[in-house]
PDB file of all heavy atoms in Angstrom:
ATOM      1  N   LEU A 183     -59.659  22.872 -50.530  1.00  0.00           N
ATOM      2  CA  LEU A 183     -59.924  24.281 -50.280  1.00  0.00           C
ATOM      3  C   LEU A 183     -59.041  25.179 -51.132  1.00  0.00           C
ATOM      4  O   LEU A 183     -59.480  26.206 -51.655  1.00  0.00           O
ATOM      5  CB  LEU A 183     -59.726  24.574 -48.790  1.00  0.00           C
ATOM      6  CG  LEU A 183     -59.968  26.025 -48.338  1.00  0.00           C
ATOM      7  CD1 LEU A 183     -61.416  26.446 -48.628  1.00  0.00           C
ATOM      8  CD2 LEU A 183     -59.676  26.168 -46.844  1.00  0.00           C
ATOM      9  N   ARG A 185     -57.845  24.448 -54.061  1.00  0.00           N
ATOM     10  CA  ARG A 185     -58.343  24.426 -55.437  1.00  0.00           C
ATOM     11  C   ARG A 185     -59.572  25.321 -55.606  1.00  0.00           C
ATOM     12  O   ARG A 185     -59.726  26.030 -56.603  1.00  0.00           O
ATOM     13  CB  ARG A 185     -58.680  22.992 -55.847  1.00  0.00           C
ATOM     14  CG  ARG A 185     -57.463  22.111 -56.082  1.00  0.00           C
ATOM     15  CD  ARG A 185     -57.841  20.834 -56.839  1.00  0.00           C
ATOM     16  NE  ARG A 185     -58.904  20.084 -56.155  1.00  0.00           N
ATOM     17  CZ  ARG A 185     -58.685  19.151 -55.239  1.00  0.00           C
ATOM     18  NH1 ARG A 185     -57.423  18.850 -54.884  1.00  0.00           N
ATOM     19  NH2 ARG A 185     -59.694  18.510 -54.674  1.00  0.00           N
ATOM     20  N   SER A 186     -60.444  25.282 -54.627  1.00  0.00           N
ATOM     21  CA  SER A 186     -61.646  26.118 -54.706  1.00  0.00           C
ATOM     22  C   SER A 186     -61.300  27.592 -54.716  1.00  0.00           C
ATOM     23  O   SER A 186     -61.900  28.401 -55.451  1.00  0.00           O
ATOM     24  CB  SER A 186     -62.576  25.810 -53.532  1.00  0.00           C
ATOM     25  OG  SER A 186     -63.020  24.471 -53.586  1.00  0.00           O
ATOM     26  N   LEU A 187     -60.351  27.979 -53.883  1.00  0.00           N
ATOM     27  CA  LEU A 187     -59.943  29.378 -53.868  1.00  0.00           C
ATOM     28  C   LEU A 187     -59.329  29.793 -55.194  1.00  0.00           C
ATOM     29  O   LEU A 187     -59.540  30.916 -55.684  1.00  0.00           O
ATOM     30  CB  LEU A 187     -58.953  29.615 -52.725  1.00  0.00           C
ATOM     31  CG  LEU A 187     -59.531  29.507 -51.305  1.00  0.00           C
ATOM     32  CD1 LEU A 187     -58.411  29.619 -50.270  1.00  0.00           C
ATOM     33  CD2 LEU A 187     -60.578  30.590 -51.067  1.00  0.00           C
ATOM     34  N   SER A 188     -58.572  28.871 -55.817  1.00  0.00           N
ATOM     35  CA  SER A 188     -57.977  29.182 -57.121  1.00  0.00           C
ATOM     36  C   SER A 188     -59.056  29.348 -58.186  1.00  0.00           C
ATOM     37  O   SER A 188     -58.992  30.254 -59.040  1.00  0.00           O
ATOM     38  CB  SER A 188     -57.010  28.067 -57.533  1.00  0.00           C
ATOM     39  OG  SER A 188     -55.976  27.943 -56.586  1.00  0.00           O
ATOM     40  N   GLU A 189     -60.089  28.466 -58.118  1.00  0.00           N
ATOM     41  CA  GLU A 189     -61.176  28.581 -59.081  1.00  0.00           C
ATOM     42  C   GLU A 189     -61.973  29.860 -58.860  1.00  0.00           C
ATOM     43  O   GLU A 189     -62.472  30.481 -59.809  1.00  0.00           O
ATOM     44  CB  GLU A 189     -62.097  27.365 -58.978  1.00  0.00           C
ATOM     45  CG  GLU A 189     -61.433  26.067 -59.405  1.00  0.00           C
ATOM     46  CD  GLU A 189     -62.322  24.868 -59.142  1.00  0.00           C
ATOM     47  OE1 GLU A 189     -63.416  25.058 -58.544  1.00  0.00           O
ATOM     48  OE2 GLU A 189     -61.926  23.741 -59.497  1.00  0.00           O
ATOM     49  N   LEU A 190     -62.111  30.257 -57.580  1.00  0.00           N
ATOM     50  CA  LEU A 190     -62.861  31.468 -57.279  1.00  0.00           C
ATOM     51  C   LEU A 190     -62.208  32.698 -57.885  1.00  0.00           C
ATOM     52  O   LEU A 190     -62.878  33.634 -58.329  1.00  0.00           O
ATOM     53  CB  LEU A 190     -63.016  31.621 -55.774  1.00  0.00           C
ATOM     54  CG  LEU A 190     -63.914  32.754 -55.266  1.00  0.00           C
ATOM     55  CD1 LEU A 190     -65.356  32.544 -55.747  1.00  0.00           C
ATOM     56  CD2 LEU A 190     -63.894  32.824 -53.749  1.00  0.00           C
ATOM     57  N   GLU A 201     -72.585  29.631 -56.839  1.00  0.00           N
ATOM     58  CA  GLU A 201     -72.253  28.209 -56.736  1.00  0.00           C
ATOM     59  C   GLU A 201     -70.840  27.993 -56.211  1.00  0.00           C
ATOM     60  O   GLU A 201     -70.597  27.121 -55.357  1.00  0.00           O
ATOM     61  CB  GLU A 201     -72.415  27.559 -58.105  1.00  0.00           C
ATOM     62  CG  GLU A 201     -72.137  26.059 -58.130  1.00  0.00           C
ATOM     63  CD  GLU A 201     -73.125  25.274 -57.311  1.00  0.00           C
ATOM     64  OE1 GLU A 201     -74.244  25.773 -57.027  1.00  0.00           O
ATOM     65  OE2 GLU A 201     -72.781  24.143 -56.887  1.00  0.00           O
ATOM     66  N   LYS A 202     -69.907  28.763 -56.701  1.00  0.00           N
ATOM     67  CA  LYS A 202     -68.515  28.610 -56.256  1.00  0.00           C
ATOM     68  C   LYS A 202     -68.350  29.011 -54.795  1.00  0.00           C
ATOM     69  O   LYS A 202     -67.602  28.371 -54.049  1.00  0.00           O
ATOM     70  CB  LYS A 202     -67.592  29.455 -57.138  1.00  0.00           C
ATOM     71  CG  LYS A 202     -67.534  28.966 -58.591  1.00  0.00           C
ATOM     72  CD  LYS A 202     -66.951  27.556 -58.662  1.00  0.00           C
ATOM     73  CE  LYS A 202     -66.857  27.075 -60.104  1.00  0.00           C
ATOM     74  NZ  LYS A 202     -66.350  25.678 -60.184  1.00  0.00           N
ATOM     75  N   MET A 203     -69.030  30.044 -54.376  1.00  0.00           N
ATOM     76  CA  MET A 203     -68.923  30.460 -52.987  1.00  0.00           C
ATOM     77  C   MET A 203     -69.476  29.376 -52.054  1.00  0.00           C
ATOM     78  O   MET A 203     -68.957  29.156 -50.963  1.00  0.00           O
ATOM     79  CB  MET A 203     -69.698  31.763 -52.781  1.00  0.00           C
ATOM     80  CG  MET A 203     -69.012  32.978 -53.402  1.00  0.00           C
ATOM     81  SD  MET A 203     -67.400  33.308 -52.644  1.00  0.00           S
ATOM     82  CE  MET A 203     -67.892  33.720 -50.998  1.00  0.00           C
ATOM     83  N   ARG A 204     -70.561  28.727 -52.492  1.00  0.00           N
ATOM     84  CA  ARG A 204     -71.102  27.650 -51.667  1.00  0.00           C
ATOM     85  C   ARG A 204     -70.102  26.510 -51.511  1.00  0.00           C
ATOM     86  O   ARG A 204     -69.914  25.959 -50.432  1.00  0.00           O
ATOM     87  CB  ARG A 204     -72.397  27.151 -52.310  1.00  0.00           C
ATOM     88  CG  ARG A 204     -73.132  26.104 -51.458  1.00  0.00           C
ATOM     89  CD  ARG A 204     -74.371  25.634 -52.175  1.00  0.00           C
ATOM     90  NE  ARG A 204     -74.031  25.020 -53.449  1.00  0.00           N
ATOM     91  CZ  ARG A 204     -73.594  23.757 -53.558  1.00  0.00           C
ATOM     92  NH1 ARG A 204     -73.435  23.009 -52.487  1.00  0.00           N
ATOM     93  NH2 ARG A 204     -73.316  23.270 -54.761  1.00  0.00           N
ATOM     94  N   GLN A 205     -69.402  26.154 -52.598  1.00  0.00           N
ATOM     95  CA  GLN A 205     -68.391  25.084 -52.526  1.00  0.00           C
ATOM     96  C   GLN A 205     -67.225  25.476 -51.605  1.00  0.00           C
ATOM     97  O   GLN A 205     -66.739  24.671 -50.806  1.00  0.00           O
ATOM     98  CB  GLN A 205     -67.876  24.769 -53.926  1.00  0.00           C
ATOM     99  CG  GLN A 205     -68.915  24.145 -54.847  1.00  0.00           C
ATOM    100  CD  GLN A 205     -68.369  23.868 -56.226  1.00  0.00           C
ATOM    101  OE1 GLN A 205     -67.186  24.141 -56.498  1.00  0.00           O
ATOM    102  NE2 GLN A 205     -69.226  23.341 -57.106  1.00  0.00           N
ATOM    103  N   VAL A 206     -66.796  26.726 -51.750  1.00  0.00           N
ATOM    104  CA  VAL A 206     -65.685  27.184 -50.899  1.00  0.00           C
ATOM    105  C   VAL A 206     -66.091  27.146 -49.432  1.00  0.00           C
ATOM    106  O   VAL A 206     -65.318  26.738 -48.547  1.00  0.00           O
ATOM    107  CB  VAL A 206     -65.254  28.601 -51.315  1.00  0.00           C
ATOM    108  CG1 VAL A 206     -64.282  29.189 -50.299  1.00  0.00           C
ATOM    109  CG2 VAL A 206     -64.629  28.574 -52.695  1.00  0.00           C
ATOM    110  N   THR A 207     -67.343  27.556 -49.148  1.00  0.00           N
ATOM    111  CA  THR A 207     -67.796  27.553 -47.747  1.00  0.00           C
ATOM    112  C   THR A 207     -67.848  26.139 -47.187  1.00  0.00           C
ATOM    113  O   THR A 207     -67.443  25.876 -46.044  1.00  0.00           O
ATOM    114  CB  THR A 207     -69.179  28.208 -47.671  1.00  0.00           C
ATOM    115  OG1 THR A 207     -69.118  29.543 -48.190  1.00  0.00           O
ATOM    116  CG2 THR A 207     -69.675  28.253 -46.233  1.00  0.00           C
ATOM    117  N   GLU A 208     -68.344  25.204 -47.965  1.00  0.00           N
ATOM    118  CA  GLU A 208     -68.415  23.813 -47.502  1.00  0.00           C
ATOM    119  C   GLU A 208     -67.014  23.247 -47.227  1.00  0.00           C
ATOM    120  O   GLU A 208     -66.778  22.593 -46.202  1.00  0.00           O
ATOM    121  CB  GLU A 208     -69.139  22.966 -48.543  1.00  0.00           C
ATOM    122  CG  GLU A 208     -70.620  23.260 -48.662  1.00  0.00           C
ATOM    123  CD  GLU A 208     -71.278  22.423 -49.748  1.00  0.00           C
ATOM    124  OE1 GLU A 208     -70.528  21.674 -50.440  1.00  0.00           O
ATOM    125  OE2 GLU A 208     -72.505  22.495 -49.895  1.00  0.00           O
ATOM    126  N   ARG A 209     -66.137  23.487 -48.170  1.00  0.00           N
ATOM    127  CA  ARG A 209     -64.768  22.942 -47.991  1.00  0.00           C
ATOM    128  C   ARG A 209     -64.034  23.634 -46.838  1.00  0.00           C
ATOM    129  O   ARG A 209     -63.256  23.007 -46.124  1.00  0.00           O
ATOM    130  CB  ARG A 209     -63.997  23.085 -49.283  1.00  0.00           C
ATOM    131  CG  ARG A 209     -64.547  22.158 -50.376  1.00  0.00           C
ATOM    132  CD  ARG A 209     -63.917  22.413 -51.712  1.00  0.00           C
ATOM    133  NE  ARG A 209     -64.479  21.488 -52.716  1.00  0.00           N
ATOM    134  CZ  ARG A 209     -64.191  21.527 -54.012  1.00  0.00           C
ATOM    135  NH1 ARG A 209     -63.347  22.456 -54.470  1.00  0.00           N
ATOM    136  NH2 ARG A 209     -64.745  20.661 -54.843  1.00  0.00           N
ATOM    137  N   ALA A 210     -64.280  24.918 -46.659  1.00  0.00           N
ATOM    138  CA  ALA A 210     -63.665  25.616 -45.519  1.00  0.00           C
ATOM    139  C   ALA A 210     -64.194  25.068 -44.202  1.00  0.00           C
ATOM    140  O   ALA A 210     -63.469  24.932 -43.210  1.00  0.00           O
ATOM    141  CB  ALA A 210     -63.930  27.117 -45.626  1.00  0.00           C
ATOM    142  N   THR A 211     -65.524  24.747 -44.201  1.00  0.00           N
ATOM    143  CA  THR A 211     -66.098  24.159 -42.978  1.00  0.00           C
ATOM    144  C   THR A 211     -65.482  22.796 -42.678  1.00  0.00           C
ATOM    145  O   THR A 211     -65.149  22.484 -41.519  1.00  0.00           O
ATOM    146  CB  THR A 211     -67.620  24.027 -43.144  1.00  0.00           C
ATOM    147  OG1 THR A 211     -68.192  25.320 -43.406  1.00  0.00           O
ATOM    148  CG2 THR A 211     -68.252  23.455 -41.894  1.00  0.00           C
ATOM    149  N   LEU A 212     -65.323  21.968 -43.704  1.00  0.00           N
ATOM    150  CA  LEU A 212     -64.680  20.659 -43.504  1.00  0.00           C
ATOM    151  C   LEU A 212     -63.248  20.806 -42.997  1.00  0.00           C
ATOM    152  O   LEU A 212     -62.788  20.074 -42.114  1.00  0.00           O
ATOM    153  CB  LEU A 212     -64.712  19.866 -44.810  1.00  0.00           C
ATOM    154  CG  LEU A 212     -66.084  19.363 -45.277  1.00  0.00           C
ATOM    155  CD1 LEU A 212     -65.968  18.716 -46.664  1.00  0.00           C
ATOM    156  CD2 LEU A 212     -66.643  18.356 -44.280  1.00  0.00           C
TER     157      LEU A 212
END
Side-chain angles (χ1 to χ4, degrees):
L183 180 61
R185 288 195 305 270
S186 297
L187 291 174
S188 300
E189 293 174 355
L190 187 62
E201 182 65 21
K202 294 297 181 183
M203 287 297 295
R204 185 182 61 80
Q205 293 179 0
V206 170
T207 302
E208 290 178 356
R209 291 172 180 175
T211 302
L212 290 174

